[in-house]
Amino acid sequence: MNGIVGLSTVELSGAIATGEVSASGALEAYLEAIDKLEPQVHAYNEVLVDHARTTATEIDAARAAGRPLGPLAGIPIAVKDNMCTAYGKTTCSSKILANFKAPYTATAVEKLHAAGAVVIGKANLDEFAMGSSTENSATKATRNPWDTARVPGGSSGGSAACVSARLAAAALGSDTGGSIRQPAAFCGVVGLKPTYGRVSRYGLVAYGSSLDQIGPLTVDVSDAALLTAVIAGHDTRDSTSADRGVEDYLAEVDTPIENLRIGLPDEFFTDALDPGIGEAIARAAGLYKDAGSEIVNVSLPHSRIDADAEGNLSSYAVACYYIVAMSEASSNLARYDGVHYGHRGEKDVEGIVELFSRSRAEGFGPEVVRRIMLGTYTLSSGYYDAYYNKALKVRRLIKNDFDRAFEKCDVLLCPTSPTTAFEIGEKTDDPLTMYLADIYTISVNLAGLPGVSIPVGLDAGGLPVGMQLIGPPFSESAILRAARMYEKISGVTRLVPEIART
Ligand code: GLN
């Protein structure tokens, strides 16, 4: 690993600010790492070499001219390929958008630019962010840098793998049901899903609009604090974005929370959990306790996770999430018809209806098709009340449980995922098992809360284990501070996989 890619974002921005490292020098160090490791990791859909070199040169010129530099000046950052950029392509890892060039740049990415960041490439994902392993990508399966026979998680698997293998200093991902936190856990990095409305969704290709949020994936908690502060804030172009100020998360992150009350949800620690992960979380709770935090038991009855005698998992939250997410997806994806957008299947086509259906059949992959069909079913007359409306009621019950839990504690501590990274191909034949990979993360999206996943350590097989800290709405500062406390008391931070060490 060359010296520059071993730095965190906060450290690299310090080195660029003092002139010790130039933006172009930093970029070339990352491009060299990409040349070396990308053929094994497959994290990027597109490395934006020319765009990145031009931006880095501009940053260096600004510095030479004495102009003030933003907090991310010269930092190479990867962006999940479902965020629009007015340069390069925005494909959502789908055949239907294989050649799509967005006419504008997403607000969160604009904010990166305004802070001086260098967007180095577009990261792979499950097609339209639907999946938990990045195997649903129409381009390729990204590999887990800790073991290239395993998945990086998903859907922001490319973003997590880039950061883990040090092929970008940091990345943006999106999280509808766990897509930032679960890949962060699988790849041993930090991933934060902000409160719904904290970060503008303008320019994020919609999957489940009432659930989607953009957030950072980084090598440590301080970097996550810096990136969250840069991308958060009100945006008149997203009517669901929250009109409230953004705290300086980085300035606050090193201040421990006194008398921190940590809630352990009873329903999350059942037979459904891999014992190794359960023990790792219990150890983490023990460390917090030794450091003066109070551990309390709380209950989230409607997020309960059960396992039957055969080990099959079930939860109301998963059922509720997949109805809400698929319903929203079916209406959001109606726009890809070969006329407004995307691939046009016009060979031997007679009439407009056949043009629509041919374009969609050729352009969408099997998981996306399944979701559009299921979502259309749950929204159709006669089934709407039985499924969609019922799911909205369950969603409210899930949210009420969290509100009650936060009367007794400041943050919740739980696993991010029921297992560590699984093997490529292990779950592709069984969509239901794949859906259960998000069993610990989806209720957070349903309730609109912020959640962060940080590495708790490695399991017996040397794979990263993630833990999740969840807080009330707009408590990003508190969950980041609590996460930073864990880094300090455990010493677990900035894990580097073998592949990136040499
Ligand atoms: N795996 C979940 C799904 O497929 C979550 C995906 C996401 O958060 N984008 O819907």
Side-chain angles (χ1 to χ4, degrees):
M1 182 160 75
N2 67 52
I4 289 177
V5 308
L7 301 176
S8 71
T9 294
V10 170
E11 289 168 344
L12 181 57
S13 87
I16 291 174
T18 61
E20 201 184 314
V21 175
S22 67
S24 300
L27 173 64
E28 295 309 320
Y30 275 98
L31 291 175
E32 191 187 301
I34 291 172
D35 271 348
K36 201 163 128 209
L37 292 182
E38 174 64 4
Q40 293 169 69
V41 180
H42 308 287
Y44 284 103
N45 280 345
E46 189 177 11
V47 180
L48 297 159
V49 179
D50 294 342
H51 165 83
R53 284 198 170 130
T54 309
T55 320
T57 309
E58 284 165 10
I59 301 286
D60 287 331
R63 189 173 185 285
R67 287 204 292 278
L69 295 181
L72 295 176
I75 305 293
I77 295 185
V79 170
K80 186 175 180 179
D81 201 12
N82 62 349
M83 287 171 222
C84 290
T85 48
Y87 42 87
K89 290 190 216 157
T90 299
T91 73
C92 293
S93 290
S94 177
K95 276 206 281 200
I96 212 157
L97 288 179
N99 296 310
F100 179 60
K101 290 207 161 111
Y104 64 94
T105 299
T107 298
V109 181
E110 287 281 11
K111 283 177 176 268
L112 292 183
H113 288 304
V118 174
V119 173
I120 186 170
K122 302 295 284 283
N124 195 17
L125 63 149
D126 286 295
E127 185 175 358
F128 284 104
M130 298 178 187
S132 310
S133 68
T134 315
E135 291 164 294
N136 293 339
S137 164
T139 57
K140 61 202 156 191
T142 296
R143 308 296 171 125
N144 189 315
W146 291 83
D147 175 352
T148 52
R150 292 177 187 270
V151 303
S155 62
S156 312
S159 302
C162 285
V163 176
S164 166
R166 301 328 192 241
L167 307 181
L172 293 189
S174 67
D175 190 313
T176 306
S179 277
I180 291 174
R181 291 159 289 156
Q182 184 256 19
F186 280 16
C187 291
V189 299
V190 173
L192 182 130
K193 182 202 91 76
T195 308
Y196 184 76
R198 181 66 298 185
V199 176
S200 168
R201 292 182 295 111
Y202 181 74
L204 168 69
V205 176
Y207 162 17
S209 309
S210 76
L211 303 154
D212 300 336
Q213 266 295 287
I214 295 173
L217 292 109
T218 58
V219 299
D220 68 16
V221 173
S222 301
D223 285 2
L226 172 58
L227 261 90
T228 307
V230 167
I231 61 174
H234 184 232
D235 179 9
T236 49
R237 291 172 299 184
D238 170 6
S239 62
T240 62
S241 90
D243 190 1
R244 54 187 284 161
V246 178
E247 292 120 278
D248 185 346
Y249 304 124
L250 181 60
E252 295 162 4
V253 77
D254 269 307
T255 313
I257 303 177
E258 278 185 40
N259 307 320
L260 176 67
R261 293 170 308 160
I262 298 179
L264 297 180
D266 291 335
E267 292 79 4
F268 282 7
F269 296 92
T270 60
D271 293 346
L273 183 61
D274 175 300
I277 295 184
E279 281 157 27
I281 306 293
R283 260 199 311 279
L287 288 178
Y288 274 115
K289 191 155 182 246
D290 294 344
S293 303
E294 188 190 340
I295 308 294
V296 294
N297 288 323
V298 297
S299 180
L300 299 173
H302 297 93
S303 299
R304 181 174 177 82
I305 297 166
D306 283 309
D308 68 12
E310 275 91 57
N312 299 312
L313 305 185
S314 64
S315 123
Y316 290 134
V318 172
C320 169
Y321 168 81
Y322 276 96
I323 291 172
V324 173
M326 291 187 193
S327 300
E328 293 184 11
S330 81
S331 81
N332 275 327
L333 271 61
R335 72 191 71 168
Y336 306 101
D337 56 12
V339 177
H340 290 95
Y341 288 100
H343 166 80
R344 178 180 293 203
E346 52 195 345
K347 200 163 167 278
D348 303 327
V349 161
E350 275 178 35
I352 188 76
V353 174
E354 205 183 328
L355 175 73
F356 287 165
S357 54
R358 180 74 66 84
S359 302
R360 288 165 72 77
E362 289 175 4
F364 289 133
E367 182 60 29
V368 176
V369 168
R370 174 163 32 244
R371 293 186 186 207
I372 292 173
M373 289 174 70
L374 287 168
T376 306
Y377 177 82
T378 51
L379 287 180
S380 55
S381 112
Y383 299 103
Y384 186 95
D385 283 328
Y387 294 104
Y388 186 66
N389 252 347
K390 187 67 148 273
L392 293 187
K393 290 177 186 164
V394 175
R395 182 176 191 174
R396 168 55 62 178
L397 295 173
I398 289 171
K399 164 97 174 86
N400 291 349
D401 287 347
F402 278 105
D403 290 347
R404 261 192 299 275
F406 288 125
E407 287 167 10
K408 287 174 65 184
C409 65
D410 305 306
V411 298
L412 295 169
L413 171 66
C414 64
T416 306
S417 165
T419 63
T420 50
F422 44 88
E423 283 177 13
I424 290 182
E426 194 180 319
K427 296 185 199 270
T428 36
D429 295 338
D430 185 356
L432 205 53
T433 336
M434 189 71 93
Y435 297 168
L436 293 165
D438 304 305
I439 207 156
Y440 289 98
T441 46
I442 52 188
S443 46
V444 174
N445 301 73
L446 288 166
L449 306 173
V452 63
S453 176
I454 62 171
V456 60
L458 300 180
D459 74 357
L463 292 173
V465 178
M467 74 179 196
Q468 193 181 192
L469 290 156
I470 304 164
F474 302 102
S475 66
E476 279 78 3
S477 180
I479 60 172
L480 285 162
R481 286 166 69 192
R484 179 75 189 112
M485 284 168 73
Y486 180 77
E487 283 185 337
K488 284 194 204 158
I489 54 184
S490 69
V492 178
T493 177
R494 298 204 202 164
L495 305 181
V496 183
E498 185 63 48
I499 203 179
R501 271 183 224 152
T502 46

